[in-house]
């Protein structure tokens, strides 16, 4: 229906941070901004190289995106692949959905080292993090959801943010 009102519709769906390179080049080609696209590619490449060169502290994380019901991300998401760049493995829910619901249990708590509460799409706060940490007995951190899930030009700052997060 959208195509009836606009001359061209461009649909993109990066599933890994490295997909941003093709995205920049695609949009640069469409809009005649190849130089700007290559500049973004170079900046992204520098940030990615710095991220991959950073010493890793592997850990098992549960990245929560929603409460009531509790929801997380599957391993087949941009977010999980961002986390993997620093050696973090996203907890795997029993469901095969991209954004599965889950319930907190001793088994879930035992399977993870840390919980990351995203500031979007649900607006988790420090109060949520404190309460959950007391409930499950594992470290819980509030993280900027935009920095870890938004692709495109924001992915460059997202890689810097991820490095800082991983450094502790």
């Amino acid at each position: 229906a959208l195509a009836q009102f606009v001359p061209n519709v461009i649909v993109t769906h990066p599933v890994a941070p490295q997909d941003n390179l093709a995205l920049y080049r695609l949009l640069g080609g469409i809009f005649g901004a190849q130089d700007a696209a290559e500049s973004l590619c170079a900046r992204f490449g520098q940030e990615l190289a710095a991220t991959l060169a950073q010493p890793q502290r592997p850990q098992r994380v549960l990245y929560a995106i929603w409460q009531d019901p509790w929801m997380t991300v599957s391993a087949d998401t941009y977010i999980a692949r961002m986390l993997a760049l620093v050696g973090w493995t996203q907890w795997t829910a029993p469901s095969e959905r991209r954004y599965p619901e889950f319930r907190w249990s001793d088994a879930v708590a035992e399977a993870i080292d840390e919980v990351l509460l995203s500031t979007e799409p649900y607006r988790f706060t420090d109060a949520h993090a404190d309460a959950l940490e007391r409930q499950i007995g594992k470290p819980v951190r509030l993280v900027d959801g935009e920095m870890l899930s938004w692709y495109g030009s924001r992915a460059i700052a997202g890689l810097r943010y991820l490095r800082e997060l991983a450094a502790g």
Side-chain angles (χ1 to χ4, degrees), residues 10-145:
I10 304 165
V11 178
T12 64
H13 184 64
V15 294
Q18 294 85 337
D19 293 346
N20 283 292
L21 297 169
L23 175 65
Y24 300 152
R25 289 182 176 115
L26 170 70
L27 295 177
I30 290 170
F31 294 106
Q34 290 88 348
D35 290 345
E38 288 307 317
S39 174
L40 284 172
C41 287
R43 289 175 38 216
F44 181 87
Q46 291 169 344
E47 293 296 337
L48 180 61
T51 302
L52 296 174
Q54 179 174 311
Q56 293 189 353
R57 293 186 350 228
Q59 65 175 351
R60 302 163 303 161
V61 298
L62 191 159
Y63 189 96
I65 60 169
W66 203 261
Q67 179 180 339
D68 295 326
W70 282 98
M71 295 177 74
T72 186
V73 298
S74 74
D76 187 30
T77 59
Y78 183 91
I79 294 167
R81 290 185 177 110
M82 272 287 277
L83 299 174
L85 293 175
V86 294
W88 294 355
T89 304
Q90 165 61 23
W91 173 76
T92 303
S95 167
E96 292 184 20
R97 299 178 76 180
R98 282 181 65 74
Y99 304 102
E101 294 179 15
F102 70 95
R103 295 186 190 279
W104 288 107
S105 67
D106 290 342
V108 171
E110 289 172 14
I112 60 172
D113 299 313
E114 181 175 12
V115 176
L116 304 175
L117 292 182
S118 179
T119 57
E120 78 149 43
Y122 190 89
R123 195 162 293 286
F124 284 109
T125 65
D126 287 325
H128 291 108
D130 293 342
L132 184 58
E133 191 167 88
R134 285 191 303 276
Q135 176 188 335
I136 65 168
K138 295 284 181 156
V140 178
R141 270 199 278 184
L142 194 62
V143 297
D144 186 332

